[in-house]
Amino acid sequence: MTTNPKYIFVTGGVSSSLGKGIIAASLAKLLQAQGYRATIQKLDPYINIDPGTLNPYEHGECYVTDDGAETDLDLGHYERFLNVPTSQANNVTTGRIYQSVIDKERRGEFLGKTVQVIPHITDEIKRRIQILGNSGDYDIVITEIGGTVGDIESLPYIEAVRQLEWDLGEHNTCVIHLTLVPYLSAAGELKTKPTQHSVKTLMESGVQADILVCRTEHPLNDGIKTKLARFCNVKKEAVIESIDASTIYDVPNLMLEEGLDKVVLNQLQLKSDVPDLKRWNEFLKRHKNPKSEVTIGLIGKYVELQDSYKSILESFIHAGAENEVKVNVEPIHSEYLSESNIEFKLGHLDGVLVAPGFGERGIEGKIDAVRFVREQNIPFLGICLGMQMAVIEYARNVLNLKDANSVEMDEQTPDPVINLMASQKGVVNKGGTMRLGTWDCNIEKDSIAYKVYNAETITERHRHRFEFNNDYKAQFEAAGMKATGLNPETGLVEIVEIPKNDWFVGVQYHPEYKSTVKNPHPLFVAFVAAALKYKKKKK
């Protein structure tokens, strides 16, 4: 416990895709394992207010917090590593910064002053950085600054860091610079020049890195560390090797071996102890030594970019370790699925997950996939849009409502089994207007969901505009698809199941957002277990 919060800034050079989020999460894990209350926030330099309106191909998945904030996917890493919920305060974009400053100007809060990047924008950035620290909930706040040092859009953030170092005083801040030490195979050597230039660019903005974390494919020898220390004005022990790892969950141990936590705590004049990583390493042992394996199809329309379904993929890793099973996830593009190839594409799978998404592209492929796994009794999990596809498939092929659809895909459908939520009618703006954040769900006792959660009431995170149309609920239940989870306030259907199938579950919410290393999500754990059982039965 510290009297005043300490601030750590993680900047990046050479490339924006070096893994600042994983380094920040790994460091936070090491600090948390020594008894410090640590949190992480992400500052994104793009002008969108939040990632909620971004196509997944642009920026990966949109991660949703308990309080309904649509945020950068790095917040998912923060929660998965720390098992501590994040919030809107943990993700700030340039758009949100400028919007706040402009709103203040419109209210006359600047007393007629000329509003400028310095001091008004940088003051707002500094205020946002310190919100978590001033809450009294944290000893250490790690701030990851998106983008790359030298980018024009990152300059106000770097300037805010420079000012905060001065404002907060010595030993209250620490700047970590993540950079790349590339290997030239033709020459057979690692090159330090990109790192030197990156640090020089940072210094031109008045910020001196205290620690270098160097991404590399090959180990950094003593000579290279000495050279980097000398030319970048850091201590030799502050040159940290970050070699490529087989899994992101190895990184905390790699950073521990390099002494990153000790160097940081020394810079902040805080006590260093041996981190308690017992549970973390137990998870790693199970993850790396599976006793069985299953293959699960992930059916979506953004499968070319793995980050589009990052939380789902990580949830399978957590659930796999819990079951001591290696989960092979086979991405399948729904746009290229049809009745003619469905058996070839899905017949060998041990389970199928139909993923979330928006819009009509690839929808018919998802519906064909649901029909196949339902009829073949393959374990099925549908998430958000995936659950809605299960409802449409059942309506068409069991209730014989051949033109049943969602009004999202067909506004004129005669059987809108998925309808626009009443609260969404009349909504014009797209950003931040969906049903977002944590909502309650009451579960029927005679259901798979109750066995999975072992609870009558749960809370899960949501991100949707459309819902199961309760006008058709009696028809579905009479035909064998049960609504086993309902929101207690609105009656909105949260979970559907087909009891005659061994394991068929669709959920309106996003369970993947709450799965962590410490607490794998029970729905994924049960789904993987069902896939393993199905595989054994097939033999």
Side-chain angles (χ1 to χ4, degrees):
M1 298 279 291
T2 62
T3 306
N4 297 312
K6 308 283 188 174
Y7 294 88
I8 300 169
F9 303 101
V10 181
T11 62
V14 184
S15 169
S16 61
S17 302
L18 292 178
K20 292 190 296 293
I22 300 301
I23 292 298
S26 298
L27 173 59
K29 185 70 207 174
L30 294 177
L31 298 175
Q32 182 192 62
Q34 295 176 52
Y36 292 104
R37 299 172 302 162
T39 190
I40 319 169
Q41 64 181 175
K42 175 79 179 287
L43 305 183
D44 275 310
Y46 49 75
I47 299 175
N48 302 67
I49 300 298
D50 57 44
T53 56
L54 287 174
N55 188 303
Y57 287 133
E58 289 278 330
H59 209 69
E61 79 170 3
C62 176
Y63 187 80
V64 177
T65 59
D66 280 343
D67 63 351
E70 294 177 289
T71 70
D72 185 82
L73 62 82
D74 274 332
L75 269 71
H77 291 311
Y78 306 162
E79 289 202 16
R80 287 187 283 272
F81 276 55
L82 297 181
N83 198 49
V84 174
T86 54
S87 68
Q88 181 64 76
N90 293 81
N91 192 201
V92 182
T93 68
T94 292
R96 195 172 292 278
I97 295 289
Y98 272 83
Q99 184 183 56
S100 177
V101 170
I102 291 168
D103 286 347
K104 288 178 181 178
E105 186 274 333
R106 291 290 84 187
R107 292 194 298 268
E109 292 186 22
F110 297 121
L111 301 176
K113 298 282 188 182
T114 301
V115 179
Q116 297 176 289
V117 173
I118 302 172
H120 302 100
I121 297 298
T122 50
D123 280 355
E124 180 65 15
I125 293 171
K126 290 193 294 181
R127 185 184 74 81
R128 297 279 183 153
I129 288 173
Q130 294 178 91
I131 285 174
L132 291 167
N134 291 337
S135 70
D137 296 330
Y138 304 104
D139 304 311
I140 299 172
V141 177
I142 301 174
T143 301
E144 176 195 347
I145 298 174
T148 306
V149 165
D151 292 347
I152 191 167
E153 58 261 38
S154 297
L155 290 176
Y157 293 102
I158 301 300
E159 170 60 19
V161 170
R162 185 194 68 78
Q163 292 181 24
L164 270 175
E165 285 194 285
W166 178 263
D167 295 344
L168 297 172
E170 199 174 10
H171 302 301
N172 287 314
T173 64
C174 176
V175 176
I176 298 172
H177 191 54
L178 177 64
T179 184
L180 178 68
V181 179
Y183 179 77
L184 295 185
S185 55
E189 63 178 342
L190 292 160
K191 305 301 290 186
T192 64
K193 194 62 73 176
T195 295
Q196 293 179 47
H197 279 285
S198 182
V199 171
K200 181 181 177 183
T201 302
L202 187 62
M203 290 177 69
E204 286 173 356
S205 296
V207 176
Q208 167 65 55
D210 299 301
I211 298 167
L212 298 181
V213 176
C214 304
R215 281 294 306 273
T216 176
E217 298 176 67
H218 299 271
L220 303 182
N221 61 38
D222 194 66
I224 286 180
K225 286 191 172 185
T226 300
K227 184 177 181 181
L228 284 169
R230 181 177 296 134
F231 283 101
C232 298
N233 297 333
V234 299
K235 296 176 182 177
K236 185 180 171 185
E237 60 267 25
V239 178
I240 305 296
E241 173 190 286
S242 177
I243 199 161
D244 290 353
S246 60
T247 168
I248 59 172
Y249 299 107
D250 276 333
V251 179
N253 281 313
L254 293 174
M255 292 301 98
L256 178 63
E257 290 172 14
E258 284 290 300
L260 175 61
D261 57 315
K262 288 182 180 179
V263 178
V264 167
L265 291 171
N266 183 59
Q267 166 71 17
L268 299 174
Q269 291 193 339
L270 295 175
K271 180 186 175 185
S272 177
D273 207 341
V274 178
D276 180 6
L277 294 174
K278 182 180 177 183
R279 288 192 65 176
W280 185 271
N281 289 327
E282 286 173 354
F283 155 78
L284 266 177
K285 184 178 179 182
R286 291 193 305 272
H287 172 51
K288 292 185 173 185
N289 298 280
K291 295 178 180 177
S292 308
E293 66 179 89
V294 295
T295 301
I296 291 177
L298 172 60
I299 299 179
K301 55 184 181 179
Y302 310 113
V303 293
E304 299 94 333
L305 182 67
Q306 280 202 335
D307 278 357
S308 300
Y309 303 110
K310 193 64 180 174
S311 290
I312 289 174
L313 295 174
E314 298 306 316
S315 296
F316 276 129
I317 290 175
H318 307 155
E322 189 73 9
N323 284 287
E324 296 184 283
V325 171
K326 179 183 179 183
V327 180
N328 300 307
V329 178
E330 189 171 310
I332 300 169
H333 203 302
S334 60
E335 203 170 359
Y336 307 127
L337 280 176
S338 63
E339 287 185 9
S340 62
N341 67 10
I342 203 86
E343 186 170 358
F344 173 75
K345 295 270 191 179
L346 307 185
H348 63 287
L349 299 172
D350 306 312
V352 168
L353 186 150
V354 176
F358 294 92
E360 63 182 336
R361 182 173 64 87
I363 290 307
E364 293 304 321
K366 289 186 175 184
I367 292 171
D368 289 339
V370 175
R371 179 174 187 173
F372 181 81
V373 298
R374 176 180 62 80
E375 292 178 344
Q376 299 300 315
N377 200 13
I378 298 171
F380 168 82
L381 176 59
I383 295 177
C384 198
L385 184 66
M387 172 265 210
Q388 295 174 5
M389 295 302 98
V391 170
I392 294 170
E393 186 280 323
Y394 208 80
R396 290 181 183 179
N397 299 312
V398 180
L399 275 62
N400 206 32
L401 304 174
K402 295 301 182 183
D403 295 316
N405 214 328
S406 166
V407 295
E408 180 183 7
M409 322 307 168
D410 180 5
E411 292 183 359
Q412 305 304 318
T413 176
D415 289 297
V417 292
I418 302 296
N419 209 350
L420 185 66
M421 298 174 64
S423 61
Q424 291 292 314
K425 291 174 182 176
V427 171
V428 177
N429 291 340
K430 298 296 184 186
T433 56
M434 286 186 274
R435 183 177 185 243
L436 294 164
T438 294
W439 295 80
D440 291 338
C441 171
N442 290 345
I443 299 175
E444 284 191 11
K445 282 194 172 183
D446 185 20
S447 65
I448 291 175
Y450 185 79
K451 293 173 186 173
V452 166
Y453 287 97
N454 194 29
E456 292 183 44
T457 302
I458 59 169
T459 58
E460 292 284 1
R461 299 179 191 177
H462 296 69
R463 185 175 184 251
H464 65 107
R465 295 186 195 280
F466 300 87
E467 65 177 341
F468 183 100
N469 188 341
N470 279 336
D471 291 345
Y472 292 85
K473 184 165 172 279
Q475 279 181 262
F476 274 94
E477 298 207 320
M481 177 178 273
K482 305 296 184 184
T484 60
L486 301 175
N487 178 268
E489 294 178 15
T490 64
L492 184 147
V493 174
E494 297 278 9
I495 306 171
V496 295
E497 300 180 20
I498 302 177
K500 82 169 190 176
N501 281 47
D502 292 338
W503 212 96
F504 190 104
V505 178
V507 296
Q508 183 59 73
Y509 49 83
H510 289 262
E512 70 272 23
Y513 292 150
K514 292 183 74 172
S515 186
T516 69
V517 168
K518 186 177 180 181
N519 291 311
H521 196 285
L523 203 55
F524 277 88
V525 173
F527 180 44
V528 170
L532 181 61
K533 184 178 179 181
Y534 174 80
K535 181 181 180 179
K536 289 177 178 178
K537 190 171 72 172
K538 278 195 302 184
K539 289 183 177 179

